[in-house]
Amino acid sequence: MVSNVPNFIILAATSTSPSVEQSVQNFILIFLSILWEALPFIVLGALIAGILEELVPQQLVSKFIPRSRTLAIMIGGLLGILFPMCECGIIPVMRRLLRKGVPLSCCVAYLLAGPIINGVVMLSTFAAFYGQQNALNSSGQPAYQIGGLGMMSLRMFFGYLVAMGTSFIVEWQYRKHGSKLLAPLAVADTEKGQTKDGGIGLTDEPPKTWFQKISNISETALHDFVDITVFLILGALLAAGSRQLLSHDTVEALSRDKPVLAIGMMMGLAIVLCLCSEADAFVAASFVSLRPASKLAFLVLGPMLDFKLFGMYTRIFRQRLIWTIITSVVIQVLIYSLIFHFVWEGYGKYHWWSGTVPALNSPKGGG
Amino acid sequence: MGHTHEHKDNTYYIEQLCTIGVCAALGIVGVMLWRSTTIKPGEPAGAGTGMIDLMLNPNFHLPVLLGGITLVILILVRALAVWSSVRQTAHHHDHEHEHEHDHDHTHDHEHGGAGCSEHEHEHSHEHEHAEAASHSHEHGHEHSAAFWRYAVLLLPVVLYFLNLPNKTFSAAYFGASMDVGDLGTETFAAPKASGDATEFGLTELKEGAPGADFRKEYQGKAGKLKGQFTPMNNRVFTLMKTKMNCCAADAIAVKSEVAIVAPQGGVGPIQDMEWIEVEGTIQFREKPDEPGAFMPILQVPSKDKIRKIPPQPF
């Protein structure tokens, strides 16, 4: 049935030129691939959010939060190891955690560091950069790139640092402005004068039947799913459009031999591409001629900020907090990348580089 | 929840119905996308031509199916709950006329068994309304602007039924052009290669070209390469292979950077990005845009040395 439906857009496009048709196809392919890859994880996150909202009492949540806010933030940044979720799935869960009274700064720490500091991303980063320390430049000399273990460690370290720095800034902002930083749906029930006991009889509410609980879970889950997916779609459309202007080759051509510019361009590319943190390492690794610092900037910034995330942030945070987070993340990534670049190029590659110059072997054949 | 129905206006039900409809459409399209794969067991990821194969790595096909099924289950539960709520509204309206003076058992039961005075009845409705307000009141904030969201959510559904996307990226998307100078414009016969053809990995010739020993060893010898056809002009093409780690948006290409000169008759009916095996004579030439750097070349003597092959694993 699908193949027989007239393809109006493509019929119209081919009447202009094949390159226009291919550009439209590329745009739609990129847009839908970002969407359908993220969608199952948003469904999962929304379902977890519904269960959290309905079944987990606030009193239970507050038992697990350390009294020391500093410790709570530091632990929040490491929660991705226990609860690995991609950044799309974390958003609906985080909104419900905020409603349950989890401190905003802890949630932000998990939001920023969770998509980087988890087993899946650590493995994929290691695999993507495995062996890159032995890469050669076009003259056959060592390129002084960083291999899998080094890149994985640096990504985790700088990701955690950026998340901590931003979370402490958010904590300071929260002490000044309180829940005005949050969208209404994310404000804790205690601040609204409402409490939920998760149906376990701690208040005077009549006990709910199982059907009522499941009904409430489905209503919350679908509401969150709709609310967040709309902005995922808008972000993916923006990403697909931007790819027509800023491509892999454009960035490489513009920033070859200009390492400081490369850092900025790779940060821009990270925002535009809207890749999941499991796959972005392979994309970064494919920029063979760029210096390690620019790839590191791409790897740290991408899971924290891109077009689709920006759209989804508007469902939890108000503009003041969104721009606080964006400014903090971007400035920190830029500064740390620049520092790392000068340290590596000036000292590190001569003392810490672990590669070897491979001998030119007979061809092994095959792929 | 069901007790609050008399305070729910039509907007709430319309929003619920729209949510159910749109989420059902997305869930069903998710399941149909999963069914669209053409990859058979044992075939590499690039072999698929179905819509989902163009968009996602096979590792992500199952999550799409599970996400679609979960959405369908959620909307079935929601639909049942909304239907139940509407029924209770109709039932409650029937009782309302009797309720002014009679506090019957049914109402006592609905209000948790409390002694059902007018005040308690109002209080429990306020409490339940306040409870529902965590959803319906907040939905109320967005009701005036909510319905445009359903149009946005329907976009992927509409594109699916328009059979889009139905084509993968072209070679030009990966920026496959190389500066080949005047290669392919000369009239020549390809030099006869010596020895049996050696099969090279896609990037081995590129990686070996800077080495003088490598060039000396393989200059004039027969070589064989496999990859995806990437035309550059009407006589010269190159090979690459593409990999999609998660989705099409992260697709990368590994380029051979070998300039392959087709025979006088051309390459035949080979499509952009189609997998081929090519055999020819190896040569090295200094790059026009980079003096001192060498570009590997493969001179193909005849069309029968270019063969279509099934997609290869990355």
Side-chain angles (χ1 to χ4, degrees):
Chain A
M1 181 191 88
V2 170
S3 59
N4 290 333
V5 174
N7 194 330
F8 297 113
I9 293 177
I10 298 305
L11 283 175
T14 43
S15 67
T16 50
S17 82
S19 63
V20 171
E21 181 210 348
Q22 190 63 57
S23 294
V24 171
Q25 287 272 8
N26 292 346
F27 173 84
I28 294 171
L29 184 55
I30 295 170
F31 159 59
L32 287 176
S33 68
I34 293 173
L35 175 67
W36 284 107
E37 190 209 354
L39 208 78
F41 299 100
I42 293 186
V43 173
L44 176 64
L47 186 59
I48 294 172
I51 293 170
L52 267 175
E53 177 74 14
E54 185 59 26
L55 299 179
V56 176
Q58 193 156 343
Q59 294 87 334
L60 188 66
V61 170
S62 56
K63 273 187 196 172
F64 289 98
I65 300 170
R67 285 178 192 273
S68 159
R69 191 53 54 88
T70 302
L71 185 61
I73 291 171
M74 291 173 74
I75 290 173
L78 297 172
L79 279 179
I81 297 172
L82 287 176
F83 306 111
M85 285 269 271
C86 79
E87 52 269 34
C88 300
I90 286 177
I91 298 282
V93 173
M94 211 187 81
R95 188 159 70 174
R96 296 296 162 178
L97 287 175
L98 283 168
R99 286 170 60 88
K100 293 292 176 185
V102 174
L104 173 62
S105 49
C106 301
C107 288
V108 168
Y110 178 49
L111 175 68
L112 296 179
I116 296 177
I117 303 179
N118 68 69
V120 176
V121 171
M122 287 161 76
L123 266 173
S124 67
T125 309
F126 176 81
F129 285 91
Y130 181 74
Q132 277 224 346
Q133 68 272 28
N134 299 321
L136 304 175
N137 59 25
S138 56
S139 309
Q141 299 303 311
Y144 294 108
Q145 296 287 348
I146 298 177
L149 188 61
M151 215 57 180
M152 180 192 80
S153 308
L154 287 165
R155 186 182 194 184
M156 305 301 125
F157 174 70
F158 284 115
Y160 190 71
L161 211 59
V162 172
M164 290 303 102
T166 306
S167 301
F168 284 115
I169 292 171
V170 167
E171 176 66 21
W172 167 61
Q173 285 281 296
Y174 185 76
R175 289 182 189 184
K176 274 180 74 176
H177 302 287
S179 59
K180 288 184 203 162
L181 296 172
L182 298 173
L185 277 170
V187 176
D189 291 338
T190 47
E191 294 197 37
K192 289 184 200 167
Q194 302 161 4
T195 54
K196 282 185 184 260
D197 71 340
I200 60 169
L202 295 181
T203 69
D204 292 335
E205 283 186 16
K208 297 177 192 172
T209 63
W210 274 108
F211 180 73
Q212 283 174 319
K213 288 182 193 175
I214 292 172
S215 169
N216 292 347
I217 289 172
S218 69
E219 182 173 10
T220 305
L222 287 173
H223 173 265
D224 283 3
F225 173 77
V226 166
D227 202 36
I228 288 164
T229 304
V230 168
F231 291 91
L232 167 67
I233 290 174
L234 295 175
L237 282 170
L238 205 52
S242 304
R243 284 291 288 272
Q244 309 302 314
L245 302 170
L246 188 66
S247 70
H248 189 287
D249 275 359
T250 307
V251 170
E252 188 146 20
L254 284 175
S255 42
R256 192 178 295 142
D257 304 325
K258 300 183 187 68
V260 175
L261 178 63
I263 290 173
M265 299 228 48
M266 287 295 277
M267 287 172 66
L269 196 65
I271 294 172
V272 161
L273 286 186
C274 296
L275 301 177
C276 70
S277 46
E278 287 89 21
D280 57 4
F282 295 94
V283 175
S286 70
F287 285 89
V288 292
S289 62
L290 295 189
R291 302 309 301 149
S294 55
K295 295 182 222 182
L296 196 57
F298 177 92
L299 292 173
V300 173
L301 183 65
M304 298 184 181
L305 177 65
D306 59 34
F307 284 139
K308 72 173 189 292
L309 281 174
F310 178 81
M312 292 194 281
Y313 285 167
T314 62
R315 310 321 296 150
I316 322 174
F317 309 132
R318 289 197 196 267
Q319 291 296 312
R320 177 192 290 272
L321 183 57
I322 291 174
W323 287 104
T324 300
I325 291 173
I326 289 173
T327 309
S328 168
V329 164
V330 168
I331 289 175
Q332 286 188 82
V333 169
L334 185 62
I335 290 174
Y336 298 150
S337 302
L338 285 169
I339 291 172
F340 176 75
H341 171 72
F342 289 116
V343 168
W344 176 257
E345 300 300 326
Y347 180 86
K349 70 183 187 185
Y350 303 114
H351 294 88
W352 302 328
W353 179 61
S354 58
T356 53
V357 180
L360 289 169
N361 298 321
S362 298
K364 296 179 276 294
Chain B
M1 236 4 167
H3 303 129
T4 65
H5 46 260
E6 65 180 18
H7 295 278
K8 293 176 186 172
D9 55 18
N10 284 338
T11 315
Y12 171 78
Y13 286 112
I14 293 172
E15 189 187 15
Q16 289 296 297
L17 288 174
C18 287
T19 299
I20 288 167
V22 165
C23 292
L26 281 170
I28 291 167
V29 167
V31 174
M32 288 164 73
L33 266 179
W34 174 78
R35 292 192 66 221
S36 72
T37 183
T38 61
I39 294 180
K40 298 182 182 55
E43 282 186 340
T49 54
M51 195 184 285
I52 197 172
D53 302 318
L54 300 177
M55 292 193 287
L56 297 177
N57 182 289
N59 293 333
F60 285 82
H61 291 188
L62 186 61
V64 169
L65 173 68
L66 295 176
I69 291 173
T70 305
L71 270 179
V72 169
I73 292 173
L74 283 172
I75 63 101
L76 287 174
V77 170
R78 197 70 216 124
L80 194 60
V82 169
W83 176 72
S84 170
S85 167
V86 168
R87 277 191 69 200
Q88 287 188 12
T89 304
H91 179 69
H92 191 79
H93 278 306
D94 288 343
H95 279 276
E96 245 186 356
H97 297 293
E98 304 167 16
H99 179 65
E100 286 174 12
H101 300 289
D102 291 336
H103 300 290
D104 60 22
H105 175 73
T106 307
H107 276 277
D108 286 343
H109 178 72
E110 284 174 352
H111 295 292
C116 201
S117 68
E118 200 73 38
H119 175 72
E120 284 174 340
H121 176 74
E122 288 168 1
H123 176 72
S124 64
H125 273 276
E126 284 166 6
H127 177 73
E128 286 156 350
H129 182 67
E131 178 192 334
S134 69
H135 297 295
S136 60
H137 181 63
E138 287 154 349
H139 290 187
H141 278 148
E142 299 171 30
H143 276 176
S144 59
F147 293 101
W148 65 268
R149 301 187 302 169
Y150 299 112
V152 172
L153 285 167
L154 282 174
L155 181 59
V157 177
V158 168
L159 287 173
Y160 174 79
F161 286 107
L162 287 176
N163 193 30
L164 291 170
N166 53 36
K167 221 190 255 192
T168 187
F169 295 121
S170 63
Y173 174 80
F174 296 105
S177 62
M178 286 160 53
D179 185 353
V180 297
D182 61 355
L183 203 62
T185 58
E186 313 124 7
T187 48
F188 64 91
K192 192 169 166 48
S194 57
D196 294 329
T198 306
E199 187 167 349
F200 289 87
L202 191 72
T203 57
E204 281 188 79
L205 286 174
K206 172 184 79 169
E207 288 163 4
D213 292 340
F214 185 91
R215 293 197 301 273
K216 190 175 169 190
E217 183 178 353
Y218 291 106
Q219 176 82 18
K221 298 275 173 56
K224 208 188 284 186
L225 275 180
K226 291 179 186 172
Q228 289 172 275
F229 176 72
T230 309
M232 286 193 290
N233 60 41
N234 56 4
R235 281 293 303 279
V236 182
F237 63 94
T238 187
L239 298 177
M240 68 164 74
K241 54 184 178 182
T242 56
K243 182 182 183 186
M244 187 196 304
N245 288 291
C246 293
C247 68
D250 66 53
I252 53 172
V254 173
K255 301 170 193 173
S256 66
E257 293 188 22
V258 175
I260 305 173
V261 184
Q264 288 282 359
V267 301
I270 296 176
Q271 303 292 325
D272 212 30
M273 301 300 278
E274 207 167 356
W275 276 91
I276 58 173
E277 183 184 67
V278 181
E279 192 179 321
T281 309
I282 299 168
Q283 290 184 310
F284 296 94
R285 185 187 283 203
E286 206 167 4
K287 288 184 184 177
D289 56 343
E290 216 177 313
F294 285 84
M295 172 173 58
I297 298 167
L298 208 60
Q299 303 263 16
V300 182
S302 57
K303 230 191 270 191
D304 64 304
K305 298 294 185 186
I306 302 173
R307 289 177 290 274
K308 291 186 191 179
I309 57 174
Q312 304 291 298
F314 189 82

